Amino acid sequence: GENVEQHPSTLSVQEGDSAVIKCTYSDSASNYFPWYKQELGKRPQLIIDIRSNVGEKKDQRIAVTLNKTAKHFSLHITETQPEDSAVYFCAATMNTGFQKLVFGTGTRLLVSP
Amino acid sequence: DVKVTQSSRYLVKRTGEKVFLECVQDMDHENMFWYRQDPGLGLRLIYFSYDVKMKEKGDIPEGYSVSREKKERFSLILESASTNQTSMYLCASSLGQDRGPAYFGPGTRLTVL
Protein backbone atom coordinates (compact mmCIF):
# COMPACT_ATOMS: atom_id res chain seq x y z
CA GLY A 1 0.00 0.00 0.00
CA GLU A 2 0.93 3.64 -0.02
CA ASN A 3 3.58 4.59 2.46
CA VAL A 4 5.97 7.31 3.50
CA GLU A 5 9.51 6.44 4.52
CA GLN A 6 11.38 8.84 6.76
CA HIS A 7 15.12 9.01 7.47
CA PRO A 8 17.02 9.15 9.68
CA SER A 9 15.16 7.84 12.69
CA THR A 10 17.47 9.77 15.01
CA LEU A 11 19.65 12.78 14.35
CA SER A 12 22.07 14.45 16.74
CA VAL A 13 23.60 17.83 15.91
CA GLN A 14 25.48 20.58 17.69
CA GLU A 15 23.77 23.88 18.30
CA GLY A 16 24.21 26.11 15.28
CA ASP A 17 24.55 23.23 12.81
CA SER A 18 22.00 22.46 10.12
CA ALA A 19 19.70 19.42 10.20
CA VAL A 20 18.08 17.69 7.25
CA ILE A 21 15.31 15.11 7.41
CA LYS A 22 14.22 13.30 4.27
CA CYS A 23 11.01 11.53 3.32
CA THR A 24 10.10 9.50 0.28
CA TYR A 25 6.57 8.68 -0.80
CA SER A 26 5.12 6.05 -3.07
CA ASP A 27 2.06 7.67 -4.65
CA SER A 28 2.97 9.88 -7.60
CA ALA A 29 -0.41 11.63 -7.25
CA SER A 30 0.44 12.94 -3.77
CA ASN A 31 0.02 16.70 -3.73
CA TYR A 32 0.32 17.98 -0.16
CA PHE A 33 3.27 17.48 2.20
CA PRO A 34 3.10 18.84 5.76
CA TRP A 35 5.67 18.57 8.53
CA TYR A 36 4.88 18.31 12.24
CA LYS A 37 6.99 18.85 15.33
CA GLN A 38 6.22 17.00 18.54
CA GLU A 39 8.10 17.94 21.68
CA LEU A 40 8.36 15.37 24.44
CA GLY A 41 4.99 14.85 26.12
CA LYS A 42 3.26 17.44 23.95
CA ARG A 43 0.89 17.45 21.02
CA PRO A 44 2.11 17.56 17.39
CA GLN A 45 2.29 21.01 15.81
CA LEU A 46 2.08 21.77 12.12
CA ILE A 47 5.26 23.73 11.35
CA ILE A 48 5.34 23.99 7.58
CA ASP A 49 3.69 22.49 4.53
CA ILE A 50 4.23 22.46 0.79
CA ARG A 51 2.01 21.71 -2.17
CA SER A 52 2.98 19.90 -5.34
CA ASN A 53 3.03 23.04 -7.49
CA VAL A 54 5.88 24.50 -5.42
CA GLY A 55 9.48 23.28 -5.22
CA GLU A 56 10.57 25.03 -2.05
CA LYS A 57 9.08 26.95 0.85
CA LYS A 58 10.83 28.80 3.67
CA ASP A 59 9.75 30.10 7.03
CA GLN A 60 12.57 31.71 9.00
CA ARG A 61 15.00 28.92 9.94
CA ILE A 62 13.01 26.09 8.43
CA ALA A 63 12.52 25.18 4.79
CA VAL A 64 10.99 22.32 2.89
CA THR A 65 12.00 21.16 -0.57
CA LEU A 66 10.05 18.88 -2.88
CA ASN A 67 11.35 16.76 -5.74
CA LYS A 68 8.32 15.30 -7.48
CA THR A 69 10.34 13.36 -10.02
CA ALA A 70 12.21 11.47 -7.34
CA LYS A 71 9.18 11.46 -5.02
CA HIS A 72 10.95 12.85 -2.02
CA PHE A 73 10.73 15.93 0.17
CA SER A 74 13.00 17.21 2.89
CA LEU A 75 12.90 19.43 5.96
CA HIS A 76 15.88 21.70 6.48
CA ILE A 77 16.53 23.44 9.79
CA THR A 78 19.36 25.97 9.87
CA GLU A 79 21.16 27.42 12.91
CA THR A 80 19.65 24.76 15.14
CA GLN A 81 18.85 25.60 18.76
CA PRO A 82 18.22 23.31 21.75
CA GLU A 83 14.50 24.13 21.55
CA ASP A 84 14.45 22.50 18.12
CA SER A 85 14.92 19.14 19.89
CA ALA A 86 11.77 17.12 19.19
CA VAL A 87 10.36 14.36 17.03
CA TYR A 88 9.57 15.52 13.51
CA PHE A 89 6.99 13.77 11.34
CA CYS A 90 6.52 14.15 7.62
CA ALA A 91 3.26 13.26 5.89
CA ALA A 92 1.82 13.04 2.39
CA THR A 93 -1.61 12.76 0.84
CA MET A 94 -2.34 9.47 -0.82
CA ASN A 95 -4.52 10.21 -3.83
CA THR A 96 -7.64 10.35 -1.70
CA GLY A 97 -7.90 14.00 -0.87
CA PHE A 98 -6.02 16.41 1.30
CA GLN A 99 -7.51 15.22 4.53
CA LYS A 100 -6.16 11.66 4.36
CA LEU A 101 -2.49 11.81 5.17
CA VAL A 102 -0.01 9.00 5.59
CA PHE A 103 2.67 9.81 8.16
CA GLY A 104 6.30 8.85 8.32
CA THR A 105 7.53 7.12 11.44
CA GLY A 106 9.30 10.18 12.81
CA THR A 107 12.82 11.53 13.33
CA ARG A 108 14.07 12.27 16.80
CA LEU A 109 16.26 15.39 16.58
CA LEU A 110 18.58 16.18 19.46
CA VAL A 111 20.36 19.52 19.45
CA SER A 112 23.19 19.68 21.94
CA PRO A 113 24.34 23.04 23.33
CA ASP B 1 -6.22 31.36 20.78
CA VAL B 2 -6.83 28.16 18.88
CA LYS B 3 -8.02 25.32 21.06
CA VAL B 4 -8.67 21.61 20.62
CA THR B 5 -9.54 19.81 23.83
CA GLN B 6 -10.05 16.15 24.65
CA SER B 7 -12.24 14.81 27.42
CA SER B 8 -9.55 12.82 29.25
CA ARG B 9 -5.76 12.79 29.39
CA TYR B 10 -5.59 9.28 30.84
CA LEU B 11 -8.14 6.49 30.73
CA VAL B 12 -8.04 2.89 31.98
CA LYS B 13 -10.70 0.48 30.78
CA ARG B 14 -11.31 -3.23 30.84
CA THR B 15 -11.52 -5.55 27.83
CA GLY B 16 -15.01 -5.55 26.36
CA GLU B 17 -16.04 -2.17 27.75
CA LYS B 18 -17.52 0.50 25.48
CA VAL B 19 -15.27 3.55 25.48
CA PHE B 20 -16.10 7.11 24.45
CA LEU B 21 -13.41 9.66 23.65
CA GLU B 22 -14.59 13.19 23.03
CA CYS B 23 -12.96 16.06 21.21
CA VAL B 24 -14.07 19.67 21.03
CA GLN B 25 -12.67 22.51 18.92
CA ASP B 26 -13.61 26.16 19.22
CA MET B 27 -12.39 27.36 15.81
CA ASP B 28 -15.43 26.56 13.64
CA HIS B 29 -13.30 24.09 11.65
CA GLU B 30 -15.01 21.81 9.14
CA ASN B 31 -12.48 18.99 9.37
CA MET B 32 -11.93 16.88 12.44
CA PHE B 33 -9.73 13.82 12.75
CA TRP B 34 -8.96 10.93 15.08
CA TYR B 35 -5.47 9.41 15.04
CA ARG B 36 -3.74 6.86 17.15
CA GLN B 37 -0.04 7.18 17.87
CA ASP B 38 2.09 4.16 18.67
CA PRO B 39 5.88 4.04 19.09
CA GLY B 40 7.65 3.34 15.82
CA LEU B 41 4.44 3.60 13.78
CA GLY B 42 3.87 7.33 13.62
CA LEU B 43 0.32 8.62 13.48
CA ARG B 44 -2.36 6.51 11.84
CA LEU B 45 -5.73 7.89 10.80
CA ILE B 46 -8.75 6.13 12.26
CA TYR B 47 -11.58 8.33 10.96
CA PHE B 48 -12.11 11.87 9.85
CA SER B 49 -15.12 14.09 9.32
CA TYR B 50 -15.42 17.02 6.89
CA ASP B 51 -18.86 18.19 8.03
CA VAL B 52 -21.58 17.54 10.57
CA LYS B 53 -22.86 13.96 10.32
CA MET B 54 -20.25 13.17 7.65
CA LYS B 55 -17.46 10.69 8.25
CA GLU B 56 -14.88 8.79 6.28
CA LYS B 57 -12.76 5.82 7.22
CA GLY B 58 -9.06 6.23 7.62
CA ASP B 59 -6.41 3.56 7.49
CA ILE B 60 -7.38 1.63 10.63
CA PRO B 61 -11.15 1.98 11.29
CA GLU B 62 -11.73 -1.59 12.47
CA GLY B 63 -13.07 -1.71 16.02
CA TYR B 64 -13.89 2.01 16.06
CA SER B 65 -16.82 4.21 15.18
CA VAL B 66 -17.31 7.97 15.28
CA SER B 67 -20.06 10.50 15.74
CA ARG B 68 -20.28 14.14 14.72
CA GLU B 69 -23.63 15.61 15.64
CA LYS B 70 -22.32 19.16 16.11
CA LYS B 71 -19.62 20.97 14.20
CA GLU B 72 -17.42 21.53 17.24
CA ARG B 73 -17.55 17.98 18.62
CA PHE B 74 -16.17 14.71 17.25
CA SER B 75 -16.45 11.53 19.27
CA LEU B 76 -14.52 8.30 18.92
CA ILE B 77 -16.19 5.14 20.15
CA LEU B 78 -14.55 1.83 20.87
CA GLU B 79 -17.47 -0.56 20.71
CA SER B 80 -15.76 -3.34 22.66
CA ALA B 81 -12.32 -2.36 23.87
CA SER B 82 -9.47 -4.79 23.34
CA THR B 83 -5.91 -4.79 24.64
CA ASN B 84 -4.53 -3.99 21.18
CA GLN B 85 -6.38 -0.67 21.34
CA THR B 86 -4.11 0.49 24.15
CA SER B 87 -2.57 3.61 22.62
CA MET B 88 -2.35 7.40 22.56
CA TYR B 89 -5.37 8.88 20.78
CA LEU B 90 -5.04 12.30 19.20
CA CYS B 91 -7.84 14.46 17.90
CA ALA B 92 -7.16 17.22 15.37
CA SER B 93 -8.99 19.81 13.33
CA SER B 94 -8.45 22.02 10.30
CA LEU B 95 -10.21 24.50 8.07
CA GLY B 96 -10.86 23.97 4.39
CA GLN B 97 -10.83 21.10 1.93
CA ASP B 98 -7.20 21.52 0.93
CA ARG B 99 -5.33 20.53 4.06
CA GLY B 100 -4.96 17.83 6.62
CA PRO B 101 -4.86 18.27 10.40
CA ALA B 102 -3.60 21.67 11.55
CA TYR B 103 -4.29 21.72 15.28
CA PHE B 104 -4.06 18.75 17.59
CA GLY B 105 -5.57 18.11 20.99
CA PRO B 106 -3.40 17.09 23.96
CA GLY B 107 -4.12 13.38 23.49
CA THR B 108 -5.77 10.66 25.55
CA ARG B 109 -3.61 7.80 26.72
CA LEU B 110 -5.92 4.81 26.82
CA THR B 111 -4.95 1.60 28.57
CA VAL B 112 -7.15 -1.46 28.08
CA LEU B 113 -6.58 -4.19 30.66
Side-chain angles (χ1 to χ4, degrees):
Chain A
E2 294 97 349
N3 70 314
V4 174
E5 293 191 4
Q6 183 170 349
H7 298 282
S9 56
T10 59
L11 180 59
S12 293
V13 300
Q14 292 292 124
E15 183 176 0
D17 288 350
S18 294
V20 181
I21 303 169
K22 184 175 175 178
C23 289
T24 58
Y25 58 96
S26 57
D27 187 349
S28 57
S30 294
N31 52 15
Y32 175 64
F33 308 91
W35 286 88
Y36 297 85
K37 174 185 180 183
Q38 187 174 28
E39 296 176 52
L40 189 62
K42 297 197 174 175
R43 68 191 79 186
Q45 296 174 276
L46 175 65
I47 56 172
I48 195 167
D49 56 16
I50 193 168
R51 300 180 190 278
S52 58
N53 58 348
V54 174
E56 183 176 0
K57 185 176 179 181
K58 282 185 178 180
D59 183 3
Q60 299 182 332
R61 294 187 298 108
I62 61 173
V64 57
T65 58
L66 172 64
N67 183 328
K68 288 198 70 180
T69 303
K71 291 193 284 186
H72 67 70
F73 57 111
S74 300
L75 179 71
H76 304 254
I77 306 173
T78 58
E79 300 173 23
T80 53
Q81 300 167 4
E83 51 265 40
D84 294 328
S85 295
V87 178
Y88 291 82
F89 293 97
C90 63
T93 51
M94 288 295 160
N95 196 29
T96 52
F98 287 89
Q99 293 99 333
K100 286 186 85 169
L101 297 175
V102 175
F103 280 77
T105 51
T107 296
R108 184 173 299 280
L109 174 65
L110 177 61
V111 181
S112 302
Chain B
D1 192 20
V2 163
K3 198 172 280 186
V4 179
T5 58
Q6 295 182 227
S7 50
S8 306
R9 292 299 304 272
Y10 300 93
L11 210 51
V12 180
K13 295 291 181 180
R14 298 220 173 261
T15 302
E17 281 192 83
K18 191 168 186 175
V19 182
F20 293 87
L21 303 182
E22 298 230 307
C23 175
V24 177
Q25 50 94 5
D26 64 358
M27 298 162 284
D28 203 34
H29 284 174
E30 299 112 331
N31 304 318
M32 295 188 75
F33 308 81
W34 276 107
Y35 287 88
R36 62 177 283 176
Q37 183 173 26
D38 300 289
L41 296 178
L43 283 77
R44 292 179 292 165
L45 181 64
I46 305 171
Y47 270 96
F48 76 95
S49 168
Y50 53 89
D51 202 350
V52 175
K53 297 192 186 295
M54 305 305 290
K55 61 185 179 184
E56 283 203 26
K57 293 180 180 179
D59 300 316
I60 50 166
E62 297 79 19
Y64 304 95
S65 62
V66 290
S67 171
R68 191 159 181 209
E69 296 297 317
K70 294 185 177 181
K71 192 174 185 180
E72 67 270 18
R73 190 178 298 268
F74 192 35
S75 301
L76 179 69
I77 303 138
L78 286 66
E79 297 290 343
S80 177
S82 63
T83 55
N84 63 11
Q85 292 179 309
T86 291
S87 186
M88 171 66 81
Y89 289 87
L90 290 162
C91 174
S93 73
S94 68
L95 185 66
Q97 296 180 7
D98 63 346
R99 66 188 313 183
Y103 300 98
F104 281 85
T108 296
R109 183 164 296 282
L110 173 67
T111 302
V112 182
L113 301 175

